[in-house]
Amino acid sequence: MPSRILVSACLLGQTVRYDGGTRPLHHPVLARWHAEGRVVGICPEVIGGFSVPRRPAEIAEGRSGDDVLAGRGRVVDTFGADVTEGFLAGARAALQIARAQNCSFALLIDGSPSCGSHLIYDGSFGGRKHAAMGVTSALLRANGIEVFADHEIDALAERLGSP
């Protein structure tokens, strides 16, 4: 069986984003993978217990998902509430789903404190991003799952040998 791919639910058109919105990724290869039954949609924040909509959250103090996993960082919402545990729970659940569904690859939305794989917001809620991974991306990578950002779908298709 071809490799299965864990995909951010918002990229699949599901209204799971913090603002109740979606960020659908319209790409022929994603449509083909979906038709082949290779796509496993997840939203780590929703499976971590957060509602839709919810307050925006960022990893505080310019830290990364790796820092959160190591206990050196935390995720806070716009009111300053510490929501780290929900992000950790969502990341762990995403990893469990990836393993259960035999996903060796993930296609996740960049910028998110969960799913970001190249850039995430810096924790100031000022709209500034920095080079770092979100909590789920960091945990997946630490466990051998290759993570690609939404803008890297062509690279993922090439990696899978399915242009």
Side-chain angles (χ1 to χ4, degrees):
M1 171 153 191
S3 297
R4 299 194 79 195
I5 305 120
L6 199 67
V7 178
S8 292
C10 61
L11 296 175
L12 300 173
Q14 296 178 25
T15 55
V16 294
R17 288 175 47 87
Y18 74 93
D19 60 1
T22 184
R23 294 286 299 268
L25 177 60
H26 301 288
H27 195 286
V29 75
L30 182 58
R32 187 174 75 241
W33 292 337
H34 200 279
E36 294 169 352
R38 296 174 66 184
V39 170
V40 177
I42 57 112
C43 176
E45 294 171 28
V46 170
I47 61 178
F50 294 101
S51 64
V52 178
R54 57 190 169 275
R55 286 183 281 217
E58 297 182 4
I59 298 175
E61 301 170 351
R63 295 197 177 262
S64 69
D66 286 319
D67 291 323
V68 173
L69 293 172
R72 296 185 307 266
R74 60 193 182 99
V75 186
V76 297
D77 68 18
T78 52
F79 286 10
D82 188 325
V83 293
T84 305
E85 283 307 311
F87 277 78
L88 289 169
R92 290 183 197 115
L95 177 60
Q96 184 177 22
I97 291 167
R99 286 177 170 162
Q101 296 293 322
N102 297 312
C103 297
S104 300
F105 302 92
L107 181 68
L108 305 178
I109 186 123
D110 213 14
S112 159
S114 292
C115 296
S117 58
H118 293 290
L119 295 172
I120 61 172
Y121 290 94
D122 69 2
S124 69
F125 295 96
R128 291 182 299 278
K129 293 182 182 177
H130 69 110
M133 285 185 288
V135 180
T136 298
S137 289
L139 185 62
L140 293 174
R141 280 194 180 151
N143 283 275
I145 296 171
E146 292 184 49
V147 178
F148 291 79
D150 52 307
H151 56 83
E152 296 177 307
I153 190 168
D154 293 323
L156 174 55
E158 186 175 309
R159 172 73 176 88
L160 293 171
S162 60

